[in-house]
Amino acid sequence: MRIMSKMRISYIFFAVVLGILLFSELGCPSSKRGRGSNANSLQIKGSDTEVNLVQRLAEAFMARHKGAKIAVTGGGSGTGIAALFNGTTDLANSSRPMKPKELSRAKKKGITPVGVVFAMDALSVITHPSNPLKSLTLEQLGLIYRGKIRNFKEVGGPDLEINLYGRQSNSGTFVYFRDTVLKGDYSPKMKNMPGNSAIVAAVKNDRSGIGYVGIGYVVKGGKKIEGVHIVPLKRGEEVVDPLHRENIRSGKYPLARPLYQYCNGKPTGLLLKFLQFELSEDGQKIVEEEGFYPVTPQYREANKKLGL
Amino acid sequence: MFSKERFVQYLFFVCALMTVVILGGIFIMLLYKTLKFFELVGLGEFFLERIWKPSAYSKPTYGVLAMLVSTLMVTVGAMVIAIPVGIGAAAYLSEVASPHVREWLKPLVELLAGVPSVAIGFLGIVLVGPFLAKVFHLSSGINALNGSILLAIMALPTIISVSEDAFSSVPLSYREASCALGATKWQTIVWVTLPAALPGILVAVMLGIGRAVGETMTVLMATGNAKAMPHSFFDSVATMTAVIASEIGEVDYGSEHYYGLFAVGCLLFLISLLVNLLADYFNSKMRRYA
């Protein structure tokens, strides 16, 4: 065992140095790990609101283009955008536009994000069926989620304390809802759910729950799902229901929003083909089957400028 | 002159060294990033501010208090359930059960340790949650108590098997002496065997606590993830592990929020280090005893 004692000190020194190298930021994560070496495969990552829809679109696309491989994963809009910056995805799903901070970060990393709107969402406010609220104004909704209104009776419902369900901070919907409706901070009592379906499941089981989800999670095949009530929102004096297509088309529904996909630079190759498919008639039909709405003319114009 | 013997010696030495390297590396990384966080935000805010609000509308705050209390609460709750049940089960297995019963019961207990935490979390959502809601007339059973119950289930195998070892390492002569003095089996277990096995049982409890503090998936799924300071076991809570797990994926590298999550991780590391040191201390005490 003589050898061990001889070597011990130098080995431990070596170990510590190696440890530092491995774990400290000396070996900075490289952002140059560009994807897209394989012309036949695509990575898509991001928004939980969009994940099922894009999955369906990808399946339909793969059925038409033999040999193409598209992998779609969720994780949240923030996750998708971070992945685009880190070069680990080809396309980032995002249910919100990029923030100015993200745009400047992209610039620093040498990335030119290009945004495409491929579907429309009507963010839907849901409650338990035993609590069918007739309508809410955006202001009331904001007060509810900021924790200022705590009982449904204050907004014309039953005498029930409100249980808030919302998303986690990596969610684009979390940010969209905060900036559009709350214009302030969420109540810390809000339960941060990991996805749209988790919110639907929770509200189904909670008499005093309220939640917000993408319309595709409460409408399937053109029909509202059982077990939740969709609360119409007020715009001025008018009560606007997210289930009517016209309300989204005209932009009357206050929480109608575009669903984005971001890629790095002008799309080419398989990516371009996939985006074209999404915006084609067949693609938009799938969008509607999944409960979302087709792209409105306003965003179609913007897409055209990108050559789509 | 590299003999085969020596080569093998080196090989195993490097293998053994690997754990030290990894542990050292993790610690250095945690410490480095934590220090960076305190440079940006300051110790005061971290320990005095209650709520973790990295994605605030106007001004983010990074307070660990509510999370820390949530973690401690869920863990204490789990231990209140798991310690009596675990020690009882261990006493039964070691002192009362016939060899035949023990033979099939013990593997079953160990099997419980192999159930993935996602499955237990799911159980919390579909079974324990609705059950709690019904029993306590709550609108939702996704709360701290739910997490405690699930963590108790997860800590049980550890507590039972380590306590059982402690029980069976008590010399037979102790029990014989007790019985010879006219004590019943119950009296022998409570007044003789249990005190003799106590250091070992404390090790079991510490390991159980370690298991509960560090568990992530289950609490992420079953406790509701509300970041407010909890006031009772019926409130939804977000533990330190759950917050790290749910936020690390989206965080912007190099931001305050990013370093903040490492600071939370560092605190968690210190807590489990403390728990493990205590376990070690009791362990050495037990050895002296036996």
Side-chain angles (χ1 to χ4, degrees), chain B residues 258-275:
Chain B
Y258 173 77
Y259 291 120
L261 291 176
F262 280 92
V264 177
C266 196
L267 187 58
L268 202 59
F269 181 82
L270 291 178
I271 293 174
S272 48
L273 188 70
L274 182 76
V275 169

Side-chain angles (χ1 to χ4, degrees), chain A:
Chain A
M1 287 291 115
R2 198 165 48 91
I3 181 166
M4 292 307 239
S5 55
K6 239 190 189 175
M7 312 245 19
R8 188 172 290 150
I9 291 169
S10 63
Y11 259 123
I12 286 177
F13 178 72
F14 168 74
V16 170
V17 171
L18 192 67
I20 293 171
L21 279 177
L22 272 177
F23 289 92
S24 76
E25 282 193 323
L26 289 175
C28 229
S30 117
S31 60
K32 306 264 181 298
R33 273 174 293 152
R35 278 213 33 96
S37 49
N38 188 344
N40 260 333
S41 81
L42 279 183
Q43 280 287 344
I44 305 180
K45 197 181 239 173
S47 168
D48 172 77
T49 309
E50 296 174 22
V51 66
N52 289 344
L53 170 60
V54 177
Q55 179 71 46
R56 267 286 316 271
L57 286 163
E59 277 163 16
F61 181 79
M62 285 188 279
R64 285 168 176 77
H65 296 77
K66 294 282 173 241
K69 285 198 192 94
I70 303 181
V72 185
T73 47
S77 303
T79 314
I81 290 171
L84 185 71
F85 290 179
N86 294 334
T88 53
T89 190
D90 299 302
L91 195 60
N93 289 337
S94 178
S95 60
R96 58 168 171 83
M98 272 195 192
K99 304 174 196 164
K101 217 171 113 191
E102 285 167 338
L103 287 173
S104 66
R105 241 187 110 67
K107 215 172 183 182
K108 255 186 238 158
K109 290 202 157 193
I111 283 169
T112 1
V114 174
V116 177
V117 173
F118 75 107
M120 302 295 292
D121 179 23
L123 195 63
S124 307
V125 177
I126 54 172
T127 57
H128 193 265
S130 69
N131 177 21
L133 288 178
K134 285 218 179 60
S135 71
L136 285 171
T137 64
L138 274 199
E139 202 193 351
Q140 284 173 325
L141 198 56
L143 288 171
I144 287 173
Y145 268 92
R146 274 154 62 191
K148 299 282 190 280
I149 293 180
R150 294 186 176 177
N151 195 305
F152 278 117
K153 76 178 172 194
E154 290 174 60
V155 291
D159 184 4
L160 258 180
E161 191 140 347
I162 300 174
N163 247 343
L164 300 172
Y165 292 94
R167 293 289 310 281
Q168 291 166 323
S169 58
N170 61 341
S171 149
T173 311
F174 176 100
V175 176
Y176 171 81
F177 196 78
R178 184 191 70 195
D179 294 352
T180 319
V181 180
L182 274 74
K183 299 194 169 70
D185 279 331
Y186 284 105
S187 157
K189 291 206 161 174
M190 178 178 84
K191 300 189 209 322
N192 298 98
M193 309 300 278
N196 287 278
S197 359
I199 295 185
V200 173
V203 172
K204 268 185 184 174
N205 289 313
D206 188 344
R207 276 182 309 124
S208 56
I210 187 167
Y212 55 81
V213 292
I215 185 100
Y217 285 81
V218 282
V219 174
K220 280 281 171 274
K223 267 200 196 126
K224 183 185 91 69
I225 59 161
E226 295 294 312
V228 292
H229 167 70
I230 300 179
V231 185
L233 297 179
K234 262 189 173 169
R235 187 182 196 103
E237 280 310 299
E238 197 178 347
V239 176
V240 190
D241 191 327
L243 292 173
H244 295 311
R245 185 181 174 156
E246 200 36 51
N247 290 336
I248 281 69
R249 206 181 154 75
S250 63
K252 214 187 254 172
Y253 184 68
L255 298 181
R257 58 173 181 164
L259 295 177
Y260 295 88
Q261 287 183 317
Y262 284 96
C263 56
N264 180 15
K266 248 192 162 180
T268 53
L270 186 65
L271 185 56
L272 180 65
K273 272 193 200 153
F274 179 64
L275 290 172
Q276 281 168 339
F277 168 73
E278 287 185 318
L279 296 170
S280 71
E281 218 168 285
D282 286 357
Q284 293 293 299
K285 217 171 114 197
I286 293 174
V287 167
E288 283 192 78
E289 277 166 22
E290 286 293 297
F292 292 93
Y293 294 103
V295 181
T296 55
Q298 176 199 352
Y299 291 105
R300 276 202 176 277
E301 280 308 307
N303 288 342
K304 263 187 198 143
K305 278 180 200 149
L306 296 169
L308 287 162

Side-chain angles (χ1 to χ4, degrees), chain B residues 67-87:
Chain B
M67 269 192 254
L68 185 62
V69 170
S70 300
T71 292
L72 295 180
M73 208 163 116
V74 172
T75 307
V76 168
M79 288 306 118
V80 166
I81 302 167
I83 291 172
V85 175
I87 294 176

